[in-house]
């Protein structure tokens, strides 16, 4: 079995691939202080609940929070006797190298998104990934990541608004019934929701204008369905896009004799 670990700034997703399908996806808060032993106790308990055999023989890691990588490596080495692949490291090969400015370090989740989007939807696409940041990842005709856009994430914007303005409450993200709010909570919800609708529409429209071909827009991340309620923002929504990309990158390295 392959263990795919996608570590973001807020949450870390552990997914188990049995060679044909993902058996499970589990989410835990990202914390660089969490030890390999703690990861193992948590993960093995969840595996036992689902009654899986603990037969993990390969691992691949994507980490936008670099400080957690050490303990994840220890987890793989100590408990599964595996040397994991880490996306973004020189030893981890990609099907197509990114085409960006020299010296630019591309987030590993963005590389995985590009690989997965190309596999499922072909070239000329853009992935809108709702995480701590809202990323727009542009994929070329041959599957290469060729750049994109980074905007503040939805929850990050809400938290910043709450912290900067003491009188404003923290609210949940939801689609308001009306644009014009008649109380403080409704006003904030409207600003966040319709503001991000406008951001997604505006940025994807400008990306399309800069490309020579029609572009498919793929949404991923927990909030993607919320922002696609009847607005046709996305051609597809893929809730497992990043881990699918990790699985493909692992398979490619295995084919190349690198894992």
């Amino acid at each position: 079995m392959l263990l795919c670990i996608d570590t973001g700034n807020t949450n870390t997703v552990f997914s188990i691939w049995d060679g044909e399908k993902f058996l499970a996806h589990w989410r835990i808060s990202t914390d660089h202080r969490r030890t390999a032993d703690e990861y193992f106790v948590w993960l093995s308990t969840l595996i036992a609940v689902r009654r899986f055999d603990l037969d993990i023989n390969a691992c691949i890691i994507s980490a936008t929070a670099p400080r957690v990588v050490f303990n994840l490596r220890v987890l793989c080495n100590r408990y599964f006797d595996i040397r994991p692949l880490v996306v973004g490291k020189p030893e981890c090969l990609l099907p197509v190298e990114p085409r960006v400015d020299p010296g630019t370090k591309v987030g590993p989740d963005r590389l995985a998104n590009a690989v997965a989007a190309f596999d499922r939807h072909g070239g000329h696409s853009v992935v809108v990934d709702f995480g701590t940041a809202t990323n727009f990842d542009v994929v070329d005709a041959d599957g290469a990541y060729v750049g994109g856009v980074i905007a503040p994430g939805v929850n990050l914007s809400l938290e910043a608004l709450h912290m900067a303005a003491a009188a404003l409450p923290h609210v949940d993200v939801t689609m308001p019934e009306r644009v014009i709010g008649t109380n403080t909570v409704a006003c904030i919800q409207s600003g966040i929701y319709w503001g991000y609708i406008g951001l997604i529409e505006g940025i994807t429209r400008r990306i399309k204008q800069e490309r020579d071909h029609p572009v498919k827009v793929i949404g991923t991340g927990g909030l993607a369905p919320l922002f696609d309620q009847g607005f046709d923002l996305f051609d597809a929504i893929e809730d497992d896009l990043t881990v699918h990309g990790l699985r493909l990158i692992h398979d490619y390295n295995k084919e190349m004799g690198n894992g």
Side-chain angles (χ1 to χ4, degrees), residues 20-34:
E20 296 182 357
K21 62 183 181 299
F22 280 106
L23 298 178
H25 302 282
W26 294 302
R27 187 179 300 267
I28 192 171
S29 60
T30 298
D31 185 349
H32 70 275
R33 297 168 298 180
R34 187 171 286 114

Side-chain angles (χ1 to χ4, degrees), residues 165-245:
L168 297 180
H170 185 79
V171 302
D172 294 329
V173 183
T174 187
M175 179 182 175
E177 295 182 3
R178 303 174 59 200
V179 175
I180 301 173
T182 54
N183 57 69
T184 302
V185 169
C187 289
I188 296 173
Q189 289 175 332
S190 184
I192 290 293
Y193 187 84
W194 297 112
Y196 273 86
I197 290 288
L199 180 143
I200 297 162
E201 289 178 332
I203 291 179
T204 54
R205 181 176 65 250
R206 290 180 179 275
I207 288 173
K208 290 176 181 179
Q209 290 171 352
E210 291 186 7
R211 307 299 291 167
D212 296 330
H213 298 269
V215 173
K216 295 176 287 293
V217 181
I218 302 133
T220 192
L223 291 176
L226 176 66
F227 288 96
D228 195 46
Q229 299 182 72
F231 298 103
D232 295 325
L233 296 178
F234 309 117
D235 296 295
I237 293 179
E238 306 277 5
D239 58 358
D240 65 342
L241 194 70
T242 307
V243 293
H244 178 64

Side-chain angles (χ1 to χ4, degrees), residues 77-142:
N77 291 330
R78 179 180 298 166
Y79 289 103
F80 305 122
D81 195 25
I82 298 167
R83 184 175 183 268
L85 281 170
V86 180
V87 179
K89 298 296 184 182
E91 63 271 17
C92 183
L93 306 177
L94 297 172
V96 185
E97 289 298 314
R99 291 193 287 272
V100 294
D101 293 342
T104 299
K105 184 175 176 60
V106 181
D109 54 334
R110 309 185 82 175
L111 297 174
N113 284 344
V115 172
F118 181 71
D119 178 69
R120 287 182 170 172
H121 301 280
H124 300 302
S125 59
V126 55
V127 178
V128 183
D129 189 350
F130 292 87
T132 305
T134 301
N135 291 332
F136 296 73
D137 306 322
V138 181
V139 184
D140 211 348
D142 61 350

Side-chain angles (χ1 to χ4, degrees), residues 14 71 90 158 234:
F14 287 70
N71 283 324
L158 277 170
F234 309 117

